[in-house]
Amino acid sequence: LEGKLDVVFGRMPPSAVPDGYELVELPSAEMTVFVRNGHPLSQRLVPVRELVEWEFIGFSGDALGQAQCASYFKNLNLLPPRTVLQSSSLEILLTAVAKSDSLALLSDMMEERAATAGLQRLRLDQPLWRADLGICFHRQGLESAPLRTLVELATNKATPAR
């Protein structure tokens, strides 16, 4: 964050929160792998160790996610999978995976959206890691009713509509 956004949902270590912003932790998400429908891996249980043989498409600028991935595979005595393309756009990432044999590492919360793009979740022989998620927002932004409502919804503090 460089003070240009009012709110960010995602992974962010507390040390990265700038002055004037607040970070509220949300429930963590399970990281998993998605492939296009009909992918050679899509019809069987896939050993996690086999993932390193495939190319991945990922998010650009996701240093925390890349570090978590590297750490996970290092603990298995493996190099992390090779990322061949990075995008800052979810739409481009999903489309690229849907049109290739590359894999995408995303949170399980993306499963419904991935399915609409023609992707499916791989069945892995063991879970990957959980990603800590949060909502980071500029404190002054809470004066805005839409941002305040968004933060309340994300943190389950909203008043239910009647």
Side-chain angles (χ1 to χ4, degrees):
L1 289 177
E2 297 175 357
K4 297 178 183 175
L5 297 173
D6 287 328
V7 64
V8 173
F9 286 89
R11 296 182 292 215
M12 180 179 296
S15 61
V17 178
D19 290 339
Y21 284 76
E22 185 172 334
L23 176 65
V24 176
E25 292 180 4
L26 299 173
S28 64
E30 179 185 341
M31 298 304 293
T32 193
V33 177
F34 290 87
V35 297
R36 66 173 171 78
N37 293 332
H39 188 282
L41 298 177
S42 66
Q43 300 303 313
R44 62 182 175 89
L45 183 67
V46 178
V48 166
R49 292 181 169 279
E50 192 175 323
L51 296 177
V52 300
E53 300 170 16
W54 293 86
E55 296 177 338
F56 276 72
I57 296 175
F59 284 110
S60 58
D62 186 12
L64 182 58
Q66 292 167 1
Q68 288 174 324
C69 181
S71 176
Y72 177 85
F73 284 95
K74 182 180 180 181
N75 287 337
L76 296 175
N77 295 315
L78 297 168
L79 292 174
R82 188 167 75 98
T83 301
V84 295
L85 175 69
Q86 292 184 331
S87 172
S88 60
S89 163
L90 177 62
E91 296 306 313
I92 291 172
L93 185 151
L94 296 175
T95 300
V97 173
K99 296 183 180 292
S100 71
D101 278 345
S102 295
L103 288 63
L105 182 62
L106 300 168
S107 91
D108 62 344
M109 292 192 285
M110 297 300 300
E111 191 162 3
E112 187 175 316
R113 177 61 194 94
T116 64
L119 305 182
Q120 65 186 73
R121 183 177 178 165
L122 274 187
R123 290 184 314 122
L124 300 173
D125 69 339
Q126 65 187 57
L128 298 180
W129 63 92
R130 296 197 66 81
D132 294 329
L133 301 176
I135 178 171
C136 184
F137 53 90
H138 197 281
R139 287 187 192 108
Q140 282 184 322
L142 288 178
E143 297 170 8
S144 156
L147 180 58
R148 187 172 50 253
T149 300
L150 185 62
V151 170
E152 289 172 352
L153 286 170
T155 58
N156 295 317
K157 295 179 183 174
T159 304
R162 298 191 191 267

